[in-house]
Amino acid sequence: MTDIDPARRAALFDVLRAQRIETPSWAYGNSGTRFKVFAQDGVPRNPIEKIEDAAKVHELTGIAPSVALHIPWDRVDDYAALRTHAEGLGITLGAINPNVFQEDAYRLGSVCSPDAGVRRKAVDHLLDCVAIAEQTGSTVLSVWLADGLNYPGQDDLRARQDRLAEGLREVYDQMPDGLRMLLEYKFFEPAFYATDVPDWGTSLAHCLELGPAAQVLVDTGHHAPGTNIEFIVAFLLRAKRLGGFHFNSRFYADDDLIAGAADPFQLFRIMHEVAQGGGLDRATGVEFMLDQCHNIEPKIPAMIRSVCNVQEATAKALLVDSAALRTAQAEGDVLGANAVLMDAYNTDVRPLLAELREDMGVDPDPMAAYHRSGYQQRIVAERVGGDAAGWGA
Ligand code: AFD
Ligand code: MN
Ligand code: MN
């Protein structure tokens, strides 16, 4: 058991109780790589069933009260009804993720395409998603563009930035008050030579040009190996342009594995910078979202594991003795400062989190509770026929 004084424990619990981690609708469906999508029994066949799975994750963890949608994967005729259904299950609809990367028209790009008609099509889809966000009550438009080039000379790099700025400007100017555009970057894939929003600097530059409702979305799987992601987080928090995260884990590329599974120390360092920079204060508006694809493992347990991994990293970050850290840093006590951080990281916070969960009225072991619930057996038995969610490959 972590021996921390009652006042500090209470403060820690207040922050952890308020933590909100959004799960992605697409992670409940079938997924895979360009080589194969492995179908699993019981996966949802429509947005309603995805929302039911997301609601189960929230019921068991207590800190996953919203689910991000992906359009058109989650297109429905009545978004207001979908919103009501979600709220009836105890969760809300979260970020709206436009999809301008899965139609033939987008072969040479979407918003950055050399073809004006394709750019029009892409911007219209983004505008549709703004309208959908208003119906779902979403406050985030989560924009990831797969746009890029495979060969030098294929297109004009600067002209593509002009097209990007023009397209985002049109969307930004149509956004209602209260909606934020989070512009996601990715250093490669599906384009292999150049990506039009490849890094945090490009995203930040466009966000600064657009206005205060545009912020950077940091997907933890979207950096070259060895990138110091926590530096990016600290910098963007200081610039008040950290819109949020797509948490996942990677060993080599955008692997979309369970958050914290590949490098729990990196996840802790990221959450330490978030905690130190005020990012856990709801008022700063940092969105903590998962973006994963559970290709070979059962979907809902993987999601529970991911939510708990982010929660665990947060708890450890909150255990950092900030006063001792500041003192050691000010004194140039290199080993002392590092030791303060490592003390927190090396603390087993699982007993503390079990206590927190009991305090919150949820099972101290969400994973065991899921396996006891019979939910997996129920969805496998009930979800027979129809078209399982996912994408072909
Ligand atoms: C892919 C992209 C990006 C995007 C996600 C959902 O790399 O992370 O946010 O799909 O559209 O993972
Ligand atoms: Mn992402
Ligand atoms: Mn990704």
Side-chain angles (χ1 to χ4, degrees):
M1 170 47 205
T2 312
D3 54 345
I4 57 174
D5 69 77
R8 191 150 177 248
R9 182 177 172 282
L12 187 71
F13 274 24
D14 285 347
V15 177
L16 291 171
R17 200 180 286 115
Q19 185 164 31
R20 297 286 176 268
I21 297 168
E22 183 165 292
T23 68
S25 68
W26 53 96
Y28 296 102
N30 284 324
S31 61
T33 67
R34 59 182 172 154
F35 301 102
K36 171 67 178 158
V37 170
F38 293 104
Q40 293 190 25
D41 293 335
V43 303
R45 294 149 313 163
N46 54 58
I48 293 275
E49 291 179 346
K50 293 180 199 175
I51 288 169
E52 287 166 0
D53 291 359
K56 177 56 76 175
V57 171
H58 178 50
E59 175 198 325
L60 294 172
T61 61
I63 57 167
S66 62
V67 58
L69 299 183
H70 213 293
I71 309 298
W73 293 341
D74 295 316
R75 190 179 292 287
V76 293
D77 295 335
D78 185 342
Y79 289 99
L82 189 70
R83 175 181 182 177
T84 304
H85 183 82
E87 288 165 0
L89 292 173
I91 62 172
T92 58
L93 301 179
I96 300 297
N97 290 260
N99 182 327
V100 284
F101 54 85
Q102 274 192 315
E103 293 185 49
D104 289 339
Y106 297 134
R107 181 170 58 88
L108 300 180
S110 61
V111 176
C112 304
S113 170
D115 181 311
V118 171
R119 296 198 298 273
R120 182 70 261 151
K121 172 186 172 69
V123 170
D124 285 347
H125 178 63
L126 292 172
L127 292 170
D128 279 349
C129 288
V130 169
I132 290 169
E134 290 193 88
Q135 297 170 66
T136 56
S138 302
T139 59
V140 166
L141 182 72
S142 177
V143 177
W144 173 67
L145 304 175
D147 293 41
L149 309 177
N150 279 1
Y151 297 98
Q154 177 186 332
D155 196 351
D156 182 321
L157 292 171
R158 279 176 294 110
R160 290 178 74 91
Q161 291 298 311
D162 292 339
R163 300 169 201 155
L164 176 61
E166 185 183 333
L168 293 181
R169 166 56 61 197
E170 182 177 347
V171 176
Y172 186 89
D173 288 348
Q174 292 295 318
M175 288 179 5
D177 290 345
L179 184 64
R180 284 183 293 151
M181 178 192 287
L182 302 192
L183 182 58
E184 186 174 3
Y185 61 89
K186 182 173 181 181
F187 79 120
F188 93 106
E189 189 193 50
F192 297 112
Y193 162 62
T195 297
D196 293 304
V197 189
D199 54 34
W200 66 276
T202 308
S203 173
L204 179 59
H206 281 284
C207 289
L208 292 171
E209 201 175 307
L210 287 167
Q215 295 175 305
V216 180
L217 176 57
V218 176
D219 183 306
T220 53
H222 286 191
H223 305 80
T227 300
N228 184 329
I229 298 175
E230 63 268 29
F231 171 83
I232 298 169
V233 170
F235 188 98
L236 291 173
L237 265 172
R238 180 175 176 275
K240 299 189 176 9
R241 291 293 178 143
L242 177 65
F245 294 93
H246 272 178
F247 286 116
N248 48 63
S249 227
R250 43 83 50 91
F251 287 99
Y252 293 99
D254 185 24
D255 308 337
D256 278 348
L257 300 174
I258 288 170
D263 188 344
F265 185 39
Q266 178 191 63
L267 183 56
F268 160 75
R269 299 194 316 265
I270 289 169
M271 293 315 293
H272 168 62
E273 293 305 332
V274 170
Q276 294 292 318
L280 289 172
D281 177 350
R282 300 282 303 151
T284 53
V286 175
E287 301 294 336
F288 299 92
M289 304 178 279
L290 299 177
D291 171 15
Q292 300 176 174
C293 289
H294 307 124
N295 299 342
I296 59 172
E297 64 273 34
K299 314 276 176 186
I300 297 170
M303 198 69 76
I304 292 169
R305 174 75 56 81
S306 297
V307 169
C308 293
N309 283 354
V310 175
Q311 183 182 43
E312 193 168 322
T314 307
K316 292 187 174 195
L318 291 169
L319 283 180
V320 171
D321 183 340
S322 300
L325 186 64
R326 294 279 169 272
T327 303
Q329 289 171 341
E331 292 169 357
D333 178 0
V334 174
L335 293 183
N338 176 256
V340 170
L341 205 68
M342 295 315 292
D343 281 350
Y345 176 64
N346 290 324
T347 301
D348 182 356
V349 294
R350 289 173 296 180
L352 200 69
L353 291 176
E355 278 188 50
L356 168 75
R357 293 182 187 118
E358 284 182 319
D359 189 64
M360 291 173 65
V362 298
D363 193 289
D365 181 344
M367 190 69 86
Y370 179 71
H371 291 311
R372 282 199 312 273
S373 71
Y375 187 83
Q376 186 73 26
Q377 291 78 1
R378 180 166 73 78
I379 59 177
V380 168
E382 287 177 1
R383 296 176 184 173
V384 176
D387 295 324
W391 65 90

